[in-house]
Amino acid sequence: LMNYHGNSDSGEESIALVGKGVCFDSGGINIKTNPSIANMYNDKGGACIALGVFKSIVELKMKVNVVYAATFVENMTGSDATHVSDIVKSYKGLTVEISNTDAEGRLILADTLTYVQERYKPHTIFDFATLTGATKFGLGEKTGAVFTNDDELAEKIQNACHEACEKVWRMPIDEEHINAMKDSAADLINSASNRFGGGSKAAAFLQFFINKNVKWAHFDLAGPAFSGSDEFIYTKGGTGYGV
């Protein structure tokens, strides 16, 4: 957690930057295979991007109040690892059935989102995560997916990305996706029964943890957060997409 108070006229945080920081993701019991597992040290990309945004705001001395929050974990196998069909209780109090241990990022994001809203009461939240391969399959490696509950915020994001020469595409969260994340054994399930619309379903899961009247934008950056070569506007490695 880090705070920056650039607006002395306001006593409350106005913006929250939340990042997924999975320092290595083996997939857990639902273990990943080669070649995808080789790059899973990159699964902390969302937390790094959110930190980059926070650092830029501080260095530019922008007149906004911002809180940065990221949860750093590893997702590994072992005797203490989460089991498939476990039911866990989130920080918000909603119960979640674990149907796939490789859908861990949304669990830590959910608790971080809840904590930030409870403690800091931001009016706007941006979360960043290398959350689903589904968005990468759908949009490729150069375009980020954004999901938001606010049309005006979506337009601002799209305009900002255009000015920065970064590609972004707004994706939907519909009733289909919301209902797919509800469960019979718990309030929610962490991974739906099929993979169709996986990015939208993951975003729908997160939306259950966003308070009413809070503007929220979720960036799923499984594609553009990292580059395998010097290409387009990016250099090999972490791209800093979104900063």
Side-chain angles (χ1 to χ4, degrees):
L1 279 169
M2 290 188 288
N3 296 285
Y4 168 73
H5 298 276
N7 185 359
S8 58
D9 297 328
S10 175
E12 294 186 353
E13 312 302 329
S14 57
I15 299 171
L17 304 170
V18 175
K20 169 191 168 185
V22 179
C23 297
F24 188 82
D25 182 14
S26 74
I29 299 298
N30 295 106
I31 196 164
K32 297 178 184 291
T33 57
N34 281 327
S36 63
I37 197 171
N39 294 318
M40 282 300 106
Y41 63 88
N42 291 334
D43 212 19
K44 59 185 179 294
C48 296
I49 289 169
L51 180 59
V53 176
F54 181 84
K55 181 175 182 287
S56 297
I57 290 171
V58 173
E59 291 180 345
L60 291 171
K61 299 180 180 179
M62 296 178 68
K63 292 186 177 182
V64 292
N65 296 333
V66 182
V67 57
Y68 165 80
T71 305
F72 292 92
V73 300
E74 287 187 334
N75 185 22
M76 302 294 287
T77 60
S79 59
D80 294 326
T82 300
H83 295 81
V84 176
S85 296
D86 279 355
I87 294 178
V88 298
K89 189 175 183 179
S90 69
Y91 184 67
K92 187 173 183 176
L94 295 173
T95 54
V96 182
E97 181 179 1
I98 307 301
S99 61
N100 186 341
T101 62
D102 198 20
E104 82 297 332
R106 63 200 68 182
L107 300 176
I108 63 172
L109 277 174
D111 283 353
T112 309
L113 289 167
T114 301
Y115 179 80
V116 163
Q117 290 171 98
E118 178 184 86
R119 181 169 177 181
Y120 297 100
K121 297 178 174 55
H123 66 65
T124 304
I125 299 174
F126 299 92
D127 82 66
F128 304 86
T130 50
L131 201 62
T132 69
T135 59
K136 190 174 181 178
F137 282 115
L139 299 177
E141 297 182 315
K142 302 295 186 292
T143 303
V146 65
F147 304 81
T148 177
N149 60 3
D150 187 84
D151 292 337
E152 183 180 355
L153 184 60
E155 184 176 357
K156 289 180 178 179
I157 290 168
Q158 289 169 326
N159 290 338
C161 286
H162 177 74
E163 290 181 10
C165 296
E166 292 188 323
K167 299 177 182 179
V168 70
W169 194 261
R170 186 180 183 184
M171 300 286 281
I173 304 175
D174 293 331
E175 287 299 315
E176 170 193 359
H177 310 123
I178 294 168
N179 291 333
M181 303 315 295
K182 296 176 181 178
D183 190 42
S184 58
D187 296 314
L188 301 171
I189 194 162
N190 79 323
S191 183
S193 58
N194 66 60
R195 301 182 69 180
F196 304 131
S200 292
K201 290 172 181 175
F205 178 89
L206 295 178
Q207 189 169 250
F208 282 101
F209 299 88
I210 301 299
N211 294 345
K212 186 178 180 180
N213 298 323
V214 174
K215 295 181 180 181
W216 164 69
H218 160 60
F219 289 84
D220 191 337
L221 305 176
F226 294 89
S227 178
S229 61
D230 295 343
E231 188 178 359
F232 189 42
I233 63 171
Y234 305 125
T235 56
K236 184 178 180 179
T239 63
Y241 178 102
V243 177

